[in-house]
Every structure is written in structure tokens, then in C-alpha cells.
Amino acid sequence: MATIDLNKAPTPNPFGNLNPCAACTVRDLSICQVLDKKDLQRLAEIATNLTIAPREPILDEGEDAAFLFNVTSGTVKLYKLLPDGRRQITGFLYGGDFLGIAMNASYAYSAEAVTEVTLCRFPRKKFEHLLTVLPTLEQRLLSAASNELVQAQDQMVLLGRKTAKEKIVSFLLSLSQRRADRDETPSPVDLPMSRADIADYLGLTTETVSRTFSVLKRTGNIRLLDGGLVELPDFDTLREIADGY
Amino acid sequence: MATIDLNKAPTPNPFGNLNPCAACTVRDLSICQVLDKKDLQRLAEIATNLTIAPREPILDEGEDAAFLFNVTSGTVKLYKLLPDGRRQITGFLYGGDFLGIAMNASYAYSAEAVTEVTLCRFPRKKFEHLLTVLPTLEQRLLSAASNELVQAQDQMVLLGRKTAKEKIVSFLLSLSQRRADRDETPSPVDLPMSRADIADYLGLTTETVSRTFSVLKRTGNIRLLDGGLVELPDFDTLREIADGY
DNA sequence: CGAATGATTGACGAATATCAAGCTGCGTGG
DNA sequence: CCACGCAGCTTGATATTCGTCAATCATTCG
């Protein structure tokens, strides 16, 4: 399309780009955590703040990987498509997550905003240069990659060997764990994504996801609240379900 | 067990440990590729060569991650177990592959020798120290992690969204691609692992793997040769099957 | 030669996908 | 303010793929 995509337009930031990172609310969760004030300033100099509306694309698989991102708020989904349209969501990103570790010259997956999303965008070349100068940043990135790999392996177990019920409960527990990691209450958890998204993340169909939620609700293992919130009343039982005891 | 595990005993190396890496046949494939002679020597100083017999464990999930490894020959399988014994193989490693990127304080998966395997073993602490001194090595490791993540995402698509036939053909093509990457003939490919291992890698059962091989054989898409070799006569057709056109 | 292990094939069943029909909630516009 | 319409969610009936259970075959190794 010929028009400028307003969703991707940089928003002027209230700090005049002097050091927007200083005010970043998710800095302690992100890769920036390891940088001191001076280095943060250097990162800020190559960063642009963006806001993306729900359902808007952030990047496309195969596209030249010109930018890397930090998610500062909202929920992002990463996915890959098969030629006939089958979709696998490979992950959801939230505030503090880094987007762009798994790429070569081009992006290995597509990314789309689930909710309204704010991002910190870095030109790849400049970011990579910064990596060579800031060894702590590179170490942090390696550690992030290592964590992502561990997560990816758990997801392979889920996709290859778990039943629908185990998949759903594992998913809910992982969302709960993420909350706990950020010192939030582990229940209720928020589900900003659709049933279809959950299905494509867990290797199921929307119908099976819906049915499984119904069963879990009926057996008292979860409670569905308003606003897409899910209450988890008994973690011990849920953990047993998730791991198939 | 109380006896010493002979399989894990270091073997004296013919170079008197002066610089065994200099003679390494897979160096150009491994993370060591980026090191010059001097740095290679430093790596060699902390390395121990090991030989592991088929079916012997190399490391166990949850175990304290005291060592990292380079596979120098043979085939290794990485896997995770569910409490009831269901198994997901998360990857196969071959000569040149690095074992131990995805770990924190403890190993995130178990590893077992499929064939006879030779390894280069590094004490983790010493290796991590070396990383801080050899930035090229750290960069190489980050790039290896990035590649592994891309692969992991492909595997998620396979596990979550592909049919049995698509899974098997994708697997064969990935083995073929690996050969091509190493300037070997893309066909035939070798299958050192059992049907059960293939099943646990692809999220199937041995029976389904066997039946699917039979179908592919009957339709002329593959030919099973002696010694676990599989000939791939028509890559274009196979690629279409793998991606579900 | 026989036992053991792995691979193949067959018959059957179960979990989940597919197809189809309502239901719910929410935004929009009359 | 309410009714309409749409999109997403739920539920039901049926189909299909793949798993389970079981028997046979092949290969290797004492």
C-alpha cells in the first residue's frame, strides 16, 4: 500500500529522546536490566518507540530482518504458517520480552499485536554493533536465548506428547508462573488472546479448546471470570493434571 | 551404582593434551571454528575427550550442569520425560554440534548416545570464564543459540500442525539438508536411530512411523536400503509433501 | 540354532478434527 | 436507548487420523 502506516509511525516521546529508557516501566524485566545509566543512554539513542494497534502486523516471516524489538507493554503473538493456511503460534510475548533473537538475515516467523502493544525498536545493524561494545548486553542476550530454548523444549513436550486437557492446564500454569515471576498474584490469569490463538499455540482446534475449558470448569479445576480472567483454585491438582500423573 | 562408569572415563589422547583440538575433524563445524591457534590451545586446556557407548547416558535432566560438551562424532539424542514415561525427543546431535546451550544451573533435558559417540567435555565454570575472555566464542555461541531457536520453531510447526506423513518427510528432508550443509550427497540419508526414537521425536508411535515409511515406500517417494539408509529420489515432490501443498 | 530385540502389519478403539448449529456479548447506527 | 449484526465462543453430531493391542517377521548375537 502507498499510504504511510500510522500504526508503525514513531511516537514522539516525552523525554525528547534524551533517555526514554530511564522511564521504562519494564526495564528490570528486559535485556536492558544489565546496563548502567551511560550504556542505557547509548541504547536509547538507537531506539524508537512505537505503538501498534490490536491485530496489526509487527513483522513478517521471510522479511529482511532490519529491526529488533523490546516489548514494553501489551501482548504479541509469534507464528508460522504452512502453505495451506495451517498456523502454529510459536510463542506469546509480553512486556519486557525481547523480539528477534531467533533470526538470521530474515525473520523466522511473523509477529502480530494481540492487544495494543508498545515497542522499543532498534535498527539491527546498530544494535549488533552495540553488542560488540557492551559485553554485558551480549551476555544477557545469550542468557535470554538459553531461557527461550528451555521454554521451546517444554513446548515440544507439550505439542508432541500431551493430551488436550494437559495442554490447556500447562498453558494456564505457565501464564500463572509468569505472573509469579513478576511478583503478581498467580491467580487469576488474564487471557488476552482468542480461543483460536490458544488453539494454534497448543496444536488444537478452537472447538477442542472451548470444550476442554468447559470440562475444566465443570470439574471445578478452573473458574472463568469476566474480562477473560481465569481463576486457578488449586495449583497442586492443576500441576498433576498438567504433567499427566 | 557404586562402580565407576567406564564409559565416562576420560581417554588419554594421542596428543598428550597439548592441543587435541588441532587435530579435531569437526572443528570447522563447531563453535571452535572462530578460534585462532592460541585461543584453541586455551580451550584444549580445559577439554577432556570422552567416548560413550550406544545407549549410555551422557547427562540427566535436572542434574547439576557441571559440564558442557562438543559432539565430535556419532549421534546423540536429547529428550524429556513425563512422569508416566511418555518421552519427547527434543533433538538429535551429530559431529560438530554443541551440547549445553539450553541450561541454567541444571540440565533441562537428558542426553543419551544413539551410536558410539565421542565428546569434548568442558567444565562449565571454566568454559564460562573463557567466554568472558574470548568474545568471538561468545558471539559464536549466541549465533548457535539463535540457529537452535529457529530449528525449535520449525519443530513446533511440525509437532503441532503436520500430519504423520508430513512429519516423516520433513524429518528425512532435514537430515538430507544437514548432509548438504556439510557438502555430502543429499541422498541417501542415514537413520542411526530406532523407529521408537523417530516416533518420540515426531510425536508419533513406532507403529505409525513404520506404517508411514511403508506407504512412502509403496508410493515410490522413498527407498529403504540396507544399513538404515534411505534414498530420496525426488526432492521437489518430497518438499511438497513435507509442507502439505 | 534359539532367544531377544526391533520392525512390520492387522484389527480395533479413542481422542480429537470437522462440519454444523446456536449462543453471547458488544459495537454501531437508527 | 434499543435492535441489529457480527465475531467469537460454545455445544452437538459425525468423521478421521492416529494410538493401542496383538501377532508375525527380520536381524542380530550368544
Side-chain angles (χ1 to χ4, degrees):
Chain A
M1 68 184 168
T3 58
I4 293 169
D5 187 347
L6 287 177
N7 290 305
K8 287 195 179 179
T11 59
N13 81 62
F15 307 92
N17 246 334
L18 273 178
N19 199 341
C21 300
C24 178
T25 54
V26 294
R27 193 177 68 219
D28 287 346
L29 299 169
S30 81
I31 54 159
C32 312
Q33 181 200 95
V34 296
L35 301 178
D36 62 24
K37 202 178 167 193
K38 180 169 78 37
D39 294 339
L40 210 53
Q41 172 63 28
R42 301 187 66 173
L43 192 61
E45 277 162 13
I46 67 166
T48 308
N49 290 100
L50 299 180
T51 302
I52 314 277
R55 298 165 170 283
E56 287 297 319
I58 296 169
L59 51 86
D60 280 307
E61 178 176 355
E63 203 177 48
D64 184 59
F67 298 104
L68 309 177
F69 304 84
N70 242 345
V71 179
T72 46
S73 76
T75 303
V76 172
K77 67 184 176 207
L78 310 181
Y79 63 93
K80 290 173 78 85
L81 294 172
L82 287 171
D84 64 358
R86 277 174 288 174
R87 187 178 65 152
Q88 177 67 40
I89 291 183
T90 57
F92 292 106
L93 301 183
Y94 309 89
D97 288 338
F98 187 77
L99 169 52
I101 295 182
M103 47 107 225
N104 301 304
S106 54
Y107 296 120
Y109 43 69
S110 302
E112 185 182 305
V114 173
T115 61
E116 174 163 301
V117 168
T118 58
L119 298 169
C120 221
R121 190 181 73 181
F122 311 101
R124 186 192 172 188
K125 293 236 159 126
K126 290 184 183 173
F127 187 85
E128 281 176 352
H129 171 70
L130 219 49
L131 277 188
T132 64
V133 193
L134 304 176
T136 56
L137 189 59
E138 179 150 55
Q139 281 157 29
R140 186 66 170 75
L141 214 56
L142 183 55
S143 138
S146 173
N147 287 334
E148 264 197 53
L149 273 170
V150 171
Q151 262 192 272
Q153 282 150 6
D154 284 338
Q155 190 68 0
M156 287 186 217
V157 176
L158 181 149
L159 290 169
R161 288 294 178 227
K162 289 191 178 181
T163 66
K165 193 173 176 185
E166 290 164 1
K167 286 177 176 181
I168 294 283
V169 173
S170 299
F171 175 59
L172 293 173
L173 284 177
S174 71
L175 291 175
S176 173
Q177 183 59 50
R178 159 173 290 272
R179 291 182 57 86
D181 290 345
R182 301 177 174 213
D183 298 318
E184 297 167 356
T185 60
S187 168
V189 297
D190 188 21
L191 296 182
M193 67 293 287
S194 69
R195 295 288 185 263
D197 285 344
I198 297 174
D200 283 344
Y201 181 57
L202 302 178
L204 299 170
T205 58
T206 53
E207 293 94 330
T208 299
V209 171
S210 193
R211 274 187 250 276
T212 307
F213 270 114
S214 298
V215 170
L216 289 168
K217 201 166 53 178
R218 208 172 313 133
T219 53
N221 295 113
I222 64 172
R223 268 191 287 275
L224 298 185
L225 312 178
D226 283 349
L229 294 178
V230 182
E231 197 179 306
L232 312 177
D234 181 351
F235 282 91
D236 290 340
T237 304
L238 288 175
R239 265 188 284 269
E240 288 193 356
I241 294 173
D243 285 347
Y245 277 97
Chain B
M1 67 181 169
T3 58
I4 294 168
D5 188 347
L6 288 177
N7 291 306
K8 286 195 178 179
T11 58
N13 82 60
F15 306 93
N17 247 332
L18 274 179
N19 198 341
C21 299
C24 180
T25 53
V26 294
R27 193 178 68 219
D28 288 345
L29 299 169
S30 81
I31 54 160
C32 312
Q33 179 200 93
V34 295
L35 300 178
D36 62 24
K37 200 178 168 192
K38 181 170 78 32
D39 294 339
L40 209 54
Q41 172 62 30
R42 300 185 66 171
L43 192 61
E45 276 163 12
I46 67 167
T48 308
N49 291 99
L50 300 180
T51 301
I52 315 278
R55 296 165 171 284
E56 288 296 320
I58 296 169
L59 51 86
D60 280 307
E61 178 175 356
E63 202 177 48
D64 183 58
F67 298 103
L68 309 177
F69 304 84
N70 242 345
V71 179
T72 46
S73 75
T75 303
V76 173
K77 66 185 177 205
L78 310 181
Y79 63 93
K80 290 173 76 86
L81 293 173
L82 287 171
D84 64 358
R86 278 175 287 174
R87 187 178 66 153
Q88 178 67 40
I89 291 183
T90 58
F92 292 106
L93 301 183
Y94 309 88
D97 289 338
F98 187 77
L99 169 52
I101 296 183
M103 48 108 225
N104 302 304
S106 55
Y107 296 119
Y109 43 70
S110 302
E112 185 181 306
V114 174
T115 62
E116 174 164 301
V117 167
T118 58
L119 299 168
C120 223
R121 189 181 76 182
F122 311 102
R124 185 192 172 187
K125 292 236 159 126
K126 290 184 182 174
F127 187 84
E128 282 175 351
H129 171 71
L130 220 48
L131 277 188
T132 65
V133 192
L134 304 177
T136 56
L137 189 59
E138 180 150 55
Q139 282 157 28
R140 186 65 169 75
L141 214 55
L142 183 55
S143 137
S146 174
N147 287 334
E148 265 196 55
L149 273 169
V150 171
Q151 263 191 273
Q153 282 150 7
D154 284 338
Q155 190 68 1
M156 287 186 217
V157 176
L158 180 150
L159 290 169
R161 288 295 177 226
K162 289 192 179 181
T163 65
K165 194 174 175 184
E166 290 164 1
K167 286 176 176 182
I168 295 283
V169 173
S170 299
F171 175 59
L172 292 173
L173 284 177
S174 72
L175 291 176
S176 174
Q177 184 59 49
R178 160 173 290 270
R179 291 182 57 87
D181 291 345
R182 302 177 173 213
D183 298 316
E184 297 168 355
T185 60
S187 168
V189 298
D190 188 20
L191 296 182
M193 67 292 287
S194 69
R195 293 290 186 262
D197 284 344
I198 297 173
D200 283 345
Y201 181 57
L202 301 178
L204 299 170
T205 58
T206 53
E207 292 93 330
T208 298
V209 170
S210 194
R211 273 187 252 275
T212 307
F213 270 114
S214 296
V215 170
L216 290 168
K217 201 167 53 177
R218 208 172 311 133
T219 54
N221 294 112
I222 64 172
R223 267 192 288 274
L224 299 185
L225 312 177
D226 283 350
L229 293 178
V230 182
E231 198 178 305
L232 312 177
D234 181 352
F235 282 92
D236 290 340
T237 303
L238 289 174
R239 265 187 286 267
E240 288 193 356
I241 295 174
D243 286 347
Y245 277 98

